[in-house]
Amino acid sequence: MNTAWSVEFSRILITLISTILFGLVSGYWAISVTVHSALYIGWNVIQLRTFERWIRKGAPASSAPDASGIWELIVQHIYRTQKSNKDRKKHLSKLASHYHAVMSALPDATVVLNSELEIEWANKTSQAILGLDPARDVGHKLGNIVRDTAMFELLDSNKIKHEIEMASPVDSLRTLALTKIEYGEDKTLLTARDISQRIALQKLRKAFIANASHELRTPLTVISGYLEMLDSDEDLPPSLGRIVNNAHLQAIRMDQILNDLLILSKLEERGYSKERGDTVDVPVMLKNLIADFQKTKIEGTREIELNIDENLLVKVVETEFYSLCQNLLSNAVKYSPEGSVIKVCWSISPDKSACLKVIDQGEGIAREHLSRLTERFFRANVNRARKVNGTGLGLSIVKHIMENYGGYLDIQSELTVGSTFTACFPSYRVQLNDHKELVNS
Ligand code: ADP
């Protein structure tokens, strides 16, 4: 038993002994019990009152009641709890101010929004790039302060994580990448990063490639012309003939690369547009394209099966759609063996998008290469690719065309089994042969 309880028991024992002694000496047992009980209870009530006052004041350690026995024990417990609460509070507020300092120092603008999309907290950078003033704008709706359609779209989006690009409200020449992330019960974290430098570098790279490709074309045409002339010269000695022929083929390949790079630059420059294009009679175009393919000697050795929805038309730029079909079909031919079957399907999918599928029975593509196929100059299986004529830019062109139309390219492939390339156009581009536009889904 600890000393506080011993003191308390001694106190009760003394009261008891004194009650008995007084009772024995005086013979008034009832008075003795009543008086001693009243004294003990009264003393405890006074202690209780002192404690209640002390606790009401917040139980400051400096004015802890001078107590003994069980009351001393209670004081100690309260004091200890109080101290550990204080320490915890200190630790938590240190942590909070540390995270606050970290968030404030972030190079990205960071804004915390409540369920009503009102600003709860914003860091310093949000002032510099979003034009927010944390002191003035807290409690106001972000959409009322940054009035931009891109911002409205972002705030309205139901996606758990959504990203958009937007011109800075502070400086329209700067581009921001905004991300909205929902967290907790009903909180939203919005971050904005200045990506102007990245955009400028991208522009520079695109301009450089476009200019270099353009500038190289003229001298290459001249070289190609001379090589073609020499190549067809029958008087050329055979030892030189092989070299000239090889040089001529390489010049043609270089010309193809420059051509594809220029197409890519133009596609990148155009970017996405919802309106661009005219109605293209895809069934007719596909049939002509395949007939042209079958006329050529190598392509003729593969059987091409057609499965076309005759009523399905799409709003695109004809030359771009042709280039897309040609790239997918020529790849299917290039990368599948003689005598194999290539299936071309043009149909409407359940979500009302129009999809072109090119399915081959070729050697397929390893899983680890699938995600890189649309990168510029990427060629899976380099040794095999060297033997096959190509620039490594075809699928990159296809991907850009699809992105510019708001569509997508899906690639499924299995080694030794074959590949399926699916290019889907969104429903708002789809038209039926009777020129009725499909309802947007
Ligand atoms: P390339 O001019 O080399 O054909 P692409 O961009 O069209 O360039 O294709 C990139 C790479 O993807 C090709 O080098 C090839 O390795 C692979 N590829 C494309 N289509 C197919 C296919 N149908 N079957 C197997 N591999 C393919």
Side-chain angles (χ1 to χ4, degrees), residues 51-70:
F51 271 91
E52 188 273 327
R53 279 186 183 160
W54 176 60
I55 288 166
R56 200 176 340 125
K57 274 192 225 156
S62 54
S63 60
D66 204 5
S68 61
I70 188 67

Side-chain angles (χ1 to χ4, degrees), residues 80-91:
R80 249 182 256 134
T81 316
Q82 188 89 337
K83 192 169 175 320
S84 90
N85 279 348
K86 251 189 200 159
D87 290 349
R88 205 173 308 145
K89 210 166 141 189
K90 222 169 157 181
H91 178 67

